[in-house]
Amino acid sequence: MDCSCTPFVPVADQHRSAAKHETHYSRYAVKKDTITVRYIYTWQEKYDPVTSTIRTKPSSPASLRRSGTPEDTLYILKGYMWFVKQEPNDCDFHIEIGTRNEKDTRIVVEVTRENKEVQEKIEKELSRRHLYIKGCKHSHSGDTHFGKGISVIVRGLGFYDASHKPDTNHGDEHTRKYSWELHPVQDIIFLR
């Protein structure tokens, strides 16, 4: 599978670019226990007073990571991968992670284009399973939603994506309830 991509939105022009493209994971506390997507669901209401002040402008001080929220922690999430999409504007992989039940609400985790090693790992694993990445030579969601979830462990930073308000434009019908993500993803492990 060849997911070559040329972004048309520079990193510096992205919403909350410094927070989205963090690479110094050692700066953050690591949550000792593995979490599930149901754990992330609770963040929406719990942190609403704090996230209402987050701004999306790239260089705004209000766009930096918020301490005292999930944005200051590195998480290990165990769940099921159901869908991968390569965003044409920035070449990041948007991945839907959910429970074993394909009808449950999912959350989004994002692998930035700078993390080529993990993007290539995903491409290789999906190719091995004869599955497709939307935006990578496949444009139909029907071809790219997996019939069965793939058990994975995702390691990444909590992130409130203020540009994706609930019930609006954050992915498809499975992901529109929550604005919280893991972004950026440091690594993904495929479980057998």
Side-chain angles (χ1 to χ4, degrees):
M1 186 179 318
D2 176 21
C3 286
S4 58
C5 178
T6 303
F8 59 83
V9 176
V11 169
D13 292 342
Q14 292 179 18
H15 299 299
R16 302 188 69 204
S17 58
K20 285 183 173 183
H21 294 272
E22 176 65 77
T23 57
H24 300 288
Y25 298 99
S26 62
R27 293 180 184 170
Y28 299 91
V30 178
K31 180 159 177 51
K32 293 180 182 176
D33 301 326
T34 301
I35 64 169
T36 65
V37 293
R38 293 185 193 284
Y39 181 84
I40 296 174
Y41 295 168
T42 66
W43 296 351
Q44 195 75 32
E45 186 175 338
K46 184 176 182 179
Y47 296 100
D48 185 55
V50 176
T51 57
S52 65
T53 63
I54 291 175
R55 298 294 172 254
T56 59
K57 292 181 180 175
S59 60
S60 164
S63 72
L64 300 175
R65 287 192 169 274
R66 292 297 170 96
S67 72
T69 75
E71 289 195 339
D72 66 5
T73 304
L74 187 64
Y75 294 91
I76 300 167
L77 166 70
K78 188 170 183 182
Y80 292 83
M81 179 185 288
W82 287 96
F83 175 77
V84 180
K85 176 183 179 184
Q86 184 177 49
E87 282 292 327
N89 62 336
D90 61 8
C91 301
D92 290 356
F93 281 10
H94 290 210
I95 303 168
E96 292 182 8
I97 304 291
T99 68
R100 184 186 297 258
N101 182 342
E102 68 178 315
K103 296 184 193 271
D104 279 352
T105 300
R106 303 172 192 162
I107 57 98
V108 170
V109 303
E110 289 197 38
V111 180
T112 62
R113 72 172 178 267
E114 295 87 6
N115 196 341
K116 284 291 182 206
E117 183 179 325
V118 173
Q119 284 194 353
E120 288 171 4
K121 181 194 289 191
I122 294 165
E123 288 178 47
K124 184 177 178 181
E125 182 65 25
L126 296 184
S127 181
R128 185 184 75 73
R129 294 173 183 254
H130 306 288
L131 297 171
Y132 304 108
I133 296 171
K134 185 174 181 182
C136 178
K137 298 187 180 173
H138 288 83
S139 59
H140 298 289
S141 290
D143 294 342
T144 53
H145 278 273
F146 310 152
K148 181 180 176 187
I150 301 169
S151 184
V152 294
I153 292 174
V154 180
R155 185 175 166 101
L157 292 167
F159 181 72
Y160 181 79
D161 197 334
S163 66
H164 295 298
K165 297 296 182 192
D167 299 318
T168 56
N169 62 348
H170 202 186
D172 64 17
E173 68 275 5
H174 297 101
T175 59
R176 288 192 177 137
K177 265 178 130 171
Y178 303 101
S179 301
W180 282 96
E181 310 175 336
L182 293 188
H183 185 174
V185 167
Q186 183 182 29
D187 198 9
I188 290 181
I189 299 167
F190 291 91
L191 303 175
R192 304 270 179 225

